[in-house]
Amino acid sequence: MDKFAIKKRKVPGDWKSERRAGGGRESKPDPDLSDPARGEGNPESFGNDAGGGAGGPGPPPPLTLLSTDVRPVWRHVAAEGLDCDYAVIFTRSEADDIFLRLEEELEYFSGDLSRVQVYGKWYQIPRKQVAHGDPRLTYKYSGVTLSPKPWLPVLERIRERVRETTGHVFNFVLINRYQDGKDHIGEHRDDERELEQGSPIASVSFGASRDFVFRHGSARGGGSRRRQGRLEPIKLLLEHGGLLLMNHPTNVHWYHSLPVRKRVLAPRVNLTFRKVLRLSKN
DNA sequence: CTCTTTCAATCGC
DNA sequence: GGCGATTGAAAGA
């Protein structure tokens, strides 16, 4: 039973007023996959629905749908100690272009920065990873200290859209690339000790849609699958051009993961923007 | 020194 | 195909 605790909300950032084009269908995340290089629908719409004109219930979509009319449709995701907002913030054509540039321009870490020791054995991390950000910042991940590469135009473009939609300015981005559904990341919390107090983490996705799962700390491990421990996992579908804002205190008690999905054949690039405090000591 | 937290692969169902 | 349980060395508080 997948509980999709998703409700509509107004606006966490700057977008004036929410408006929708077609009938108000409550869209629940579709656990099915979706390939990134699919043909197009409306090239200037965000991926939130668009009613799909063909045979959908409700009134027909408006004839004139100008791109300037379209605003992200935010969904609020809430549970005990969990507070997130999700919206597709890039049009399909914007996201396609950005994804292409990311694939062309990013150079991922290799060697020691891409290996991790688990239960005494060393593994390549089951994904690719790289960090970009302001000079002299560092971020520790699984024991290794990541020094960011300088910003690239495509990354600043994404960061600027995130600023427009959330009001937050981030100085660091950790990028993970999942080649296909076999690439994944295990359950973890993001280390907030080296982040600005109470600042959110902005997770932006391009390419293949992937399931994303939150689990409460108390619902994990040894003897914790008891009777009414009613903190069910919360599953989201992160889409091409989508932004998931993870607000404090989500990362304190909730773990998240990107599980294996063997039916997914296409790559996904995810960027988690952060406000990092610490500077490298030289 | 002690205690807590962390990561990914494998196996069983 | 997916999920829960299981496996420990290293780092940090």
Side-chain angles (χ1 to χ4, degrees), chain A residues 42-274:
Chain A
N42 184 341
E44 289 303 339
S45 72
F46 297 91
N48 288 306
D49 60 355
L63 291 179
T64 60
L65 185 63
L66 299 178
S67 63
T68 51
D69 290 337
V70 183
R71 294 293 183 274
V73 178
W74 290 92
R75 295 184 182 83
H76 190 225
V77 183
E80 189 176 313
L82 184 149
D83 182 319
C84 296
D85 297 283
Y86 178 78
V88 174
I89 63 166
F90 291 98
T91 65
R92 179 50 169 271
S93 54
E94 286 174 330
D96 287 349
D97 180 62
I98 289 170
F99 181 59
L100 218 70
R101 290 179 189 276
L102 292 172
E103 289 288 76
E104 286 175 1
E105 298 171 17
L106 292 180
E107 294 183 24
Y108 292 89
F109 291 143
S110 60
D112 290 339
L113 293 178
S114 65
R115 302 199 311 146
V116 65
Q117 191 183 31
V118 181
Y119 281 87
K121 296 178 184 172
W122 286 93
Y123 302 93
Q124 287 291 126
I125 58 174
R127 61 192 172 276
K128 287 182 174 176
Q129 200 168 62
V130 70
H132 287 258
D134 293 353
R136 296 181 54 85
L137 292 175
T138 63
Y139 185 72
K140 283 204 190 63
Y141 175 81
S142 187
V144 298
T145 299
L146 302 181
S147 292
K149 301 183 178 192
W151 290 101
L152 300 174
V154 64
L155 299 177
E156 293 179 309
R157 176 181 175 193
I158 302 166
R159 181 171 69 154
E160 172 62 12
R161 176 65 58 87
V162 171
R163 186 195 65 74
E164 291 168 3
T165 54
T166 70
H168 289 278
V169 178
F170 297 93
N171 60 10
F172 187 98
V173 61
L174 180 63
I175 305 172
N176 281 286
R177 182 181 189 275
Y178 304 89
Q179 168 67 34
D180 56 33
K182 294 188 290 299
D183 273 4
H184 64 281
I185 189 167
E187 270 187 350
H188 68 286
R189 293 176 295 171
D190 290 332
D191 190 353
E192 289 190 335
R193 291 172 304 180
E194 32 195 344
L195 301 185
E196 186 175 300
Q197 175 73 359
S199 67
I201 293 174
S203 169
V204 188
S205 300
F206 297 96
S209 295
R210 288 289 296 265
D211 288 338
F212 183 84
V213 182
F214 284 106
R215 288 180 74 202
H216 194 268
S218 69
R220 305 167 64 246
S224 54
R225 68 166 277 100
R226 348 207 151 303
R227 33 187 184 294
Q228 294 175 322
R230 52 174 111 90
L231 287 180
E232 295 288 320
I234 293 177
K235 307 185 179 187
L236 307 176
L237 183 68
L238 302 186
E239 305 156 287
H240 190 39
L243 163 63
L244 178 67
L245 250 196
M246 289 181 274
N247 301 303
H248 191 75
T250 300
N251 266 115
V252 178
H253 293 295
W254 290 81
Y255 290 70
H256 57 268
S257 67
L258 193 85
V260 169
R261 287 292 179 265
K262 299 220 168 161
R263 292 167 296 186
V264 175
L265 305 178
R268 166 178 182 263
V269 175
N270 177 72
L271 307 93
T272 49
F273 290 87
R274 302 145 193 271

